[in-house]
Amino acid sequence: MIKAIFFDWFNTLALYDPPREKLHSQACREFGIELSPEAAMRGLLAADRYFWDENANSPVGKRSPEEQAEVYYHYQDIVLTEAGAKVDKELLLKIMKRAHQLFKGVTFVLFDDVLSTLKTLKERKLILGLLTNATKEMIAIYRKLGMEPFIDFVVTSEEVGSDKPHPPIFLKALEKAGVNASEALHVGDQYVVDVIGARGLGISPILIDRYDLYPEVTDCPRIRTLPELVEYL
């Protein structure tokens, strides 16, 4: 019997505001490259997949400055290449720097289906937790967005000293929820980070694939919207 559900944050419950694809589009346009937000989104989602797979193999934040720079350079290269805009290294670095500047003012908004779904789950007496590869600042953000009545606890990678998919963040969630792994579900948008990470501890994973990035995944439930989660309880 499922007693607790854990949620990833970015692209599961929330997204950037202003949308990051618009900011990347703006950064490119300032250097004479016309890149639609839709094309930028395709590139960003592919780059996200690369980054989190890399981070799962070896935490990027613990690598040397040179190695970190290489990862972020490759990330930006994927964004542009997948979006159909191939540029030289010098221009790519300029775009990357400008995009970083534009991102300093972003905040988060929730997907439209989040609060209503969380309300439904709480009415079923489920324990709900937020698990994120982020800092403790996330606590203030989720409260500001009106989630506090529904979320019982937050576990950040900063708190446990380890990112998903590694065990500590999931183990801390189980501890805070007071449940066994077999009594928990984890919902997230990254296959390696969320699905493999949760399954490695015996937590049942559900992949939320809002942008249809993982059509090949058949070894776990794959949902496109949060209300579909209710069907698996």
Side-chain angles (χ1 to χ4, degrees):
M1 179 180 175
I2 297 301
K3 297 180 180 179
I5 303 178
F6 309 145
F7 293 94
D8 171 53
W9 176 247
F10 186 66
N11 277 345
T12 297
L13 301 179
L15 67 163
Y16 286 119
D17 182 38
R20 58 182 182 154
E21 62 271 20
K22 290 187 178 180
L23 299 179
H24 271 81
S25 179
Q26 178 182 335
C28 288
R29 189 167 58 252
E30 290 180 10
F31 291 97
I33 299 173
E34 288 300 324
L35 191 69
S36 71
E38 293 76 18
M41 174 60 92
R42 290 196 302 271
L44 285 162
L45 292 171
D48 286 347
R49 190 167 178 174
Y50 154 76
F51 180 86
W52 289 115
D53 286 355
E54 275 288 308
N55 197 64
N57 291 328
S58 173
V60 174
K62 296 181 180 179
R63 302 187 194 187
S64 70
E66 294 78 15
E67 291 173 322
Q68 290 184 43
E70 183 61 29
V71 169
Y72 291 121
Y73 170 81
H74 191 53
Y75 181 97
Q76 187 64 51
D77 186 46
I78 291 173
V79 172
L80 295 180
T81 300
E82 290 291 327
K86 192 66 176 175
V87 302
D88 62 37
K89 185 171 185 177
E90 181 180 358
L91 181 53
L92 188 145
L93 290 173
K94 290 179 179 178
I95 293 171
M96 187 167 76
K97 181 179 179 180
R98 180 57 179 148
H100 179 71
Q101 292 171 341
L102 292 172
F103 262 79
K104 289 183 178 179
V106 300
T107 183
F108 287 100
V109 293
L110 299 177
F111 286 100
D112 291 341
D113 57 8
V114 171
L115 292 180
S116 59
T117 302
L118 295 181
K119 182 175 184 293
T120 297
L121 297 175
K122 287 306 294 180
E123 288 172 348
R124 296 191 176 202
K125 310 301 182 184
L126 289 159
I127 300 166
L128 305 182
L130 174 60
L131 280 59
T132 174
N133 288 348
T135 67
K136 58 187 178 183
E137 293 175 355
M138 184 56 59
I139 295 174
I141 293 171
Y142 98 91
R143 287 174 175 167
K144 181 179 179 180
L145 293 174
M147 297 174 64
E148 190 169 17
F150 311 113
I151 297 294
D152 295 291
F153 62 85
V154 178
V155 183
T156 68
S157 58
E158 181 183 44
E159 175 186 354
V160 299
S162 178
D163 289 340
K164 294 179 292 176
H166 303 294
I169 196 166
F170 294 104
L171 290 172
K172 177 59 73 171
L174 291 172
E175 178 187 326
K176 288 191 174 187
V179 300
N180 297 319
S182 61
E183 298 172 316
L185 292 176
H186 176 68
V187 183
D189 71 302
Q190 293 290 325
Y191 183 79
V192 171
V193 172
D194 294 300
V195 173
I196 293 179
R199 183 181 285 149
L201 290 172
I203 299 169
S204 297
I206 293 181
L207 181 68
I208 182 163
D209 193 6
R210 292 184 182 275
Y211 304 103
D212 199 24
L213 290 178
Y214 294 96
E216 76 281 3
V217 170
T218 58
D219 63 341
C220 71
R222 184 173 74 102
I223 60 178
R224 296 293 301 279
T225 65
L226 212 53
E228 295 175 58
L229 171 62
V230 178
E231 300 175 15
Y232 295 94
L233 299 177

